Amino acid sequence: MMKLISAAIVISAFAAPAFAAEPIEGTWKRPSGTLIQYSGSGDKFCGTVLNGEYKGKSIGCMSGKGADYKGSVNKLDEGKTYSGKAHVEGKTMTLSGCALGGLICKSESLTRQ
């Protein structure tokens, strides 16, 4: 009986799903309520505004996979592009843009929709 229980534990350990980071692809909600759709192929993903004043505009593109991405972030109200990065953890993505070689950075958390 003990061998059967031990075997069941070993089998279930291998049968458990692997927990991989969620990709950046999908729809994300900014704290302002603006929805951003990230889509792409391979390891390059671009974000497009789905609603509001900047609907249809690009907010930049990111390359990467899993949880971490790097690329550019467009600050549409300023008309400027900054170096950016994103980190996805569960239903939250932290998106940041930096100027002056990374000396000044701003970030915000978006929620997966």
Side-chain angles (χ1 to χ4, degrees):
M1 180 74 163
M2 209 47 188
K3 287 182 182 182
L4 184 59
I5 293 172
S6 295
I9 291 171
V10 170
I11 291 169
S12 66
F14 287 108
F19 293 102
E22 291 289 325
I24 195 171
E25 239 175 338
T27 302
W28 299 89
K29 186 176 184 180
R30 296 182 61 203
S32 65
T34 301
L35 296 174
I36 307 294
Q37 173 73 47
Y38 271 95
S39 58
S41 62
D43 71 345
K44 184 174 181 179
F45 303 91
C46 296
T48 303
V49 179
L50 296 178
N51 63 342
E53 179 181 357
Y54 299 104
K55 182 178 180 179
K57 301 284 183 176
S58 171
I59 64 153
C61 295
M62 298 275 176
S63 293
K65 60 183 177 177
D68 296 304
Y69 300 82
K70 291 183 180 181
S72 62
V73 177
N74 299 329
K75 184 102 168 70
L76 297 173
D77 60 340
E78 294 177 355
K80 295 183 179 179
T81 301
Y82 297 97
S83 74
K85 61 183 179 177
H87 177 79
V88 178
E89 191 169 323
K91 293 185 180 224
T92 302
M93 174 173 57
T94 303
L95 181 64
S96 61
C98 299
L100 301 174
L103 293 176
I104 300 173
C105 298
K106 289 188 178 183
S107 65
E108 68 180 20
S109 294
L110 291 78
T111 305
R112 186 180 297 278
Q113 299 299 292

